Amino acid sequence: ILNVEQSPQSLHVQEGDSTNFTCSFPSSNFYALHWYRWETAKSPEALFVMTLNGDEKKKGRISATLNTKEGYSYLYIKGSQPEDSATYLCALPTGWNQGGKLIFGQGTELSVKP
Amino acid sequence: DAGVTQSPTHLIKTRGQQVTLRCSPKSGHDTVSWYQQALGQGPQFIFQYYEEEERQRGNFPDRFSGHQFPNYSSELNVNALLLGDSALYLCASSTGQENQPQHFGDGTRLSIL
């Protein structure tokens, strides 16, 4: 059974702090990893799809790195803002040319205080 | 360009009843997946539909069934509701191709009394 772990479960930071959290997964049979941001009362929004070992992607103040050999991905937020408060989910696609089901981690809940 | 839409937003049912949730995919998407999200957990995959067929299924009992229509919209049906079925149900659509993210709706909050 594929197990995706995220840490920490929750994080409370002050506005302006930079932060990072981790997604861990089995390194064997890796194909791709998705990061999603889920704000309260909204739908999960795709941030990144990462596929290559050493991959680094950036979207504004948010960036992510991928290490498929050791089985982890880091998500970084530089200079956190209150609007960054959300649950951040990572997920691995499986089946049907990897367009099938997503196996999610339990998420990291980020709270940014003004 | 409308994204994924789900209805209803909220629903309250009692044990033993049946419920139908609906989903319209994002324009251009032909694959619909359903997820159950319980408090404190990540979304759990229920099943995926493509070309009106169930293509993949997660570890959910047969009480959970679905359907996809020719216009790619989808329904999730749950029979004989249990208290444990209380959760947020998310619909996601995609092209089903590799390296493409799934696009999610806002979800249906189902409460069982």
Side-chain angles (χ1 to χ4, degrees):
Chain A
I1 296 176
L2 182 59
N3 198 31
V4 180
E5 297 283 342
Q6 289 188 248
S7 63
Q9 278 193 307
S10 64
L11 202 51
H12 300 267
V13 302
Q14 290 293 133
E15 182 176 354
D17 289 348
S18 293
T19 186
N20 67 86
F21 22 92
T22 307
C23 174
S24 301
F25 52 86
S27 55
S28 59
N29 298 319
F30 174 85
Y31 191 83
L33 182 139
H34 295 197
W35 279 103
Y36 292 86
R37 174 172 61 196
W38 193 0
E39 295 178 65
T40 302
K42 294 187 178 180
S43 55
E45 170 198 4
L47 288 172
F48 308 113
V49 175
M50 308 184 77
T51 57
L52 300 175
N53 184 46
D55 215 1
E56 182 168 347
K57 298 212 170 182
K58 192 173 180 180
K59 188 175 183 177
R61 293 179 291 98
I62 303 177
S63 61
T65 61
L66 178 66
N67 183 324
T68 61
K69 293 182 179 179
E70 295 184 35
Y72 64 83
S73 174
Y74 292 143
L75 190 79
Y76 300 91
I77 302 179
K78 184 178 179 182
S80 302
Q81 299 297 308
E83 58 264 31
D84 296 327
S85 297
T87 295
Y88 291 83
L89 292 161
C90 65
L92 268 63
T94 66
W96 286 100
N97 202 28
Q98 311 313 322
K101 74 178 184 181
L102 291 174
I103 297 178
F104 283 90
Q106 69 272 48
T108 292
E109 186 177 356
L110 175 67
S111 174
V112 183
K113 292 185 178 179
Chain B
D1 176 23
V4 178
T5 58
Q6 291 187 244
S7 63
T9 306
H10 294 91
L11 206 48
I12 299 174
K13 291 284 187 179
T14 57
R15 282 179 296 175
Q17 284 189 309
Q18 178 264 343
V19 68
T20 297
L21 311 182
R22 294 177 175 83
C23 173
S24 291
K26 180 179 168 69
S27 177
H29 288 181
D30 57 7
T31 303
V32 174
S33 303
W34 287 92
Y35 295 85
Q36 180 194 67
Q37 201 253 343
L39 211 58
Q41 297 181 20
Q44 300 292 313
F45 176 80
I46 303 175
F47 39 56
Q48 184 181 81
Y49 277 83
Y50 172 71
E51 289 191 343
E52 302 180 52
E53 297 280 336
E54 183 182 288
R55 184 161 80 170
Q56 211 173 2
R57 188 179 181 92
N59 293 326
F60 280 79
D62 292 344
R63 299 186 296 107
F64 289 75
S65 63
H67 191 79
Q68 186 179 35
F69 300 93
N71 66 355
Y72 307 121
S73 67
S74 177
E75 287 181 351
L76 163 66
N77 301 292
V78 188
N79 295 322
L81 286 165
L82 304 173
L83 291 177
D85 295 331
S86 295
L88 180 69
Y89 289 84
L90 290 166
C91 170
S93 72
S94 63
T95 60
Q97 295 176 1
E98 59 182 349
N99 300 336
Q100 297 300 311
Q102 295 188 9
H103 293 250
F104 287 84
D106 290 343
T108 294
R109 172 71 63 186
L110 176 62
S111 299
I112 311 301
L113 303 180

